[in-house]
Amino acid sequence: MKLVIAILPGDGIGPEIVEQGMKAIQAVSHKYNHQVCGSHALVGAAAIDAVGNPYPETTHELCMESDAVFFGAIGDPKYDNDPSAKVRPEQGLLAMRKKLGLYANIRPVTTFPSLLHQSPLRAELIEQADFMCIRELTGGIYFGRPQGRSEDGETAYDTCVYTREEIDRIIRLAYRFAEKRRKKVTVVDKANVLATSRLWRQTAQEIEKEFPGIETEYMFVDNAAMRIIQWPASFDVMVTENMFGDILTDEASVITGSLGMLPSASIGLHTSVFEPIHGSYPQAAGKNIANPLATILSAALMFEYAFNLPEEANLIREAVTASMQAGIVTEDIAEKGKAYHTSEVGDWIAAYIKEK
Ligand code: IPM
Ligand code: MG
């Protein structure tokens, strides 16, 4: 099969980790006789520096023409403390999500036995945890208008907007995932306060009736935040709006032991995007110390969701597990022994795939 991939490394550690992901993609493609056609494009601060736009039109065209987008991270500290910056790297990510119609962000939260001791939670709490957070990605307060400041600059406002159609398609997607898993959906909202959340709940209650074989649970977001640390194993598929999903998935990712482990897939109307859920980690950029496993696991999601090649996806996951068992890991998850460099972990995983 021919695999046409748009490669968008972005900022910070993005280029280093994407390079390791590409090694795994090449190795598994070689083994199964697929032909990888990868082209690089600019996004984020790197694109602002080069052409003044965090998501240039040429990058968008490449994404539209590709079968999948492999994405690193964006963000640069030079913009973080400058509230007056006219253009920000994050706008590139939001523009990409909107223009590619990526309405669903799928973040699987799985635990790794060899990392249990790294979790901030006690092993018995985290052991059985295995859930999937489905975050709505192109609506809500991230995109609602109006947004801005009053004329005197003393008042600021954001607007949270959801249409029934936007809610309907993401809730249905959650049920489709639950059907293939442990058959439970948790709808997370703040229906006791927000009008948009009440529309979420009402829409979900209607759709629920079409899936009698699936248990539906409704939970306020504050309670869900608590439950993720108290009883993570109680979740199967969690579905929620854009900003709640942003916050809850950062929380969920660290209970597995390291933020550097969790991959994500963003799917929707056009080409799907695969990226680690952690950010650009600028303090580590260029040092060859960042954990590439979330990115390599995102490559596995790409084989599964974009190319429908589950065997290839599983071989990548097996190689990741083997690297952890062999202790070939970066400093964030290394036990007292030796920590390996980003590139060494990538090389080891590619070699494992080749020899398998
Ligand atoms: C994420 C990130 C982004 C978001 C930022 C970088 C705009 O935190 O993908 O979770 O808030 O969606
Ligand atoms: Mg986030």
Side-chain angles (χ1 to χ4, degrees):
M1 208 168 128
K2 192 170 164 199
L3 313 176
V4 183
I5 304 174
I7 306 165
L8 276 53
D11 306 323
I13 57 169
E16 301 159 53
I17 54 177
V18 161
E19 194 184 323
Q20 312 317 314
M22 286 309 299
K23 288 178 189 169
I25 291 172
Q26 293 288 5
V28 83
S29 299
H30 188 76
K31 180 160 216 106
Y32 286 89
N33 288 318
H34 303 305
Q35 188 202 345
V36 178
C37 301
S39 317
H40 285 76
L42 290 168
V43 71
I48 300 178
D49 292 344
V51 295
N53 177 351
Y55 186 57
E57 192 53 37
T58 47
T59 299
H60 180 59
E61 279 162 20
L62 178 73
C63 292
M64 289 295 286
E65 287 160 10
S66 302
D67 300 324
V69 179
F70 196 43
F71 191 95
I74 64 168
D76 187 311
K78 74 181 177 207
Y79 297 93
D80 289 347
N81 294 312
D82 177 11
S84 65
K86 289 249 158 7
V87 46
R88 321 181 62 84
E90 288 78 7
Q91 287 165 346
L93 186 57
L94 300 185
M96 180 180 77
R97 289 173 180 169
K98 198 70 176 177
K99 290 176 90 171
L100 292 177
L102 301 170
Y103 63 81
N105 182 224
I106 297 162
R107 299 184 164 183
V109 181
T110 37
T111 52
F112 301 87
S114 58
L115 280 189
L116 284 178
H117 66 283
Q118 303 261 8
S119 173
L121 301 187
R122 291 194 308 278
E124 79 254 29
L125 282 179
I126 184 81
E127 241 156 16
Q128 306 298 323
D130 172 14
F131 65 96
M132 174 171 267
C133 186
I134 300 187
R135 166 187 175 192
E136 202 289 329
L137 204 58
T138 50
I141 202 162
Y142 272 62
F143 293 95
R145 293 292 179 267
Q147 176 191 64
R149 293 271 187 112
S150 61
E151 245 165 64
D152 66 5
E154 297 302 301
T155 307
Y157 41 87
D158 295 285
T159 308
C160 188
V161 183
Y162 269 109
T163 64
R164 184 186 290 274
E165 192 193 341
E166 287 172 316
I167 301 166
D168 188 280
R169 66 183 176 187
I170 191 99
I171 299 277
R172 282 180 194 283
L173 188 78
Y175 277 96
R176 286 203 296 277
F177 273 99
E179 278 179 326
K180 289 187 230 129
R181 296 174 50 99
R182 298 194 309 279
K183 308 203 165 24
K184 179 175 174 188
V185 170
T186 304
V187 180
V188 175
D189 62 31
K190 189 73 182 173
N192 50 348
V193 177
L194 302 176
T196 42
S197 280
R198 286 192 281 277
L199 183 58
W200 268 76
R201 197 167 280 217
Q202 189 189 340
T203 307
Q205 282 168 341
E206 286 161 19
I207 297 171
E208 178 190 347
K209 301 193 188 92
E210 298 173 33
F211 297 89
I214 292 184
E215 180 194 345
T216 307
E217 164 181 67
Y218 296 90
M219 199 178 284
F220 296 139
V221 61
D222 44 354
N223 187 19
M226 194 171 74
R227 195 94 88 80
I228 286 173
I229 54 168
Q230 274 189 329
W231 190 21
S234 71
F235 296 113
D236 180 20
V237 174
M238 175 190 288
V239 58
T240 191
E241 64 95 56
N242 204 344
M243 181 133 95
F244 296 161
D246 177 46
I247 298 166
L248 293 179
T249 52
D250 262 28
E251 183 191 0
S253 73
V254 293
I255 67 171
T256 70
S258 170
L259 181 61
M261 293 302 301
L262 291 196
S264 85
S266 299
I267 61 179
L269 307 177
H270 305 291
T271 319
S272 299
V273 175
F274 300 86
E275 62 176 306
I277 95 153
H278 59 72
S280 59
Y281 192 14
Q283 305 84 334
K287 293 193 181 145
N288 203 12
I289 56 169
N291 186 344
L293 296 184
T295 310
I296 295 173
L297 290 168
S298 300
L301 286 180
M302 181 189 301
F303 278 94
E304 188 175 337
Y305 294 155
F307 305 138
N308 199 15
L309 297 169
E311 217 175 296
E312 286 80 337
N314 284 334
L315 179 54
I316 295 176
R317 290 192 188 106
E318 183 192 317
V320 167
T321 305
S323 77
M324 285 192 285
Q325 275 161 359
I328 315 295
V329 293
T330 44
E331 61 181 26
D332 56 315
I333 55 172
E335 282 187 80
K336 279 164 242 99
K338 185 176 176 346
Y340 288 79
H341 283 123
T342 309
S343 57
E344 291 174 309
V345 175
D347 289 338
W348 194 92
I349 286 175
Y352 179 97
I353 292 170
K354 201 173 293 165
E355 278 153 30
K356 190 56 199 197

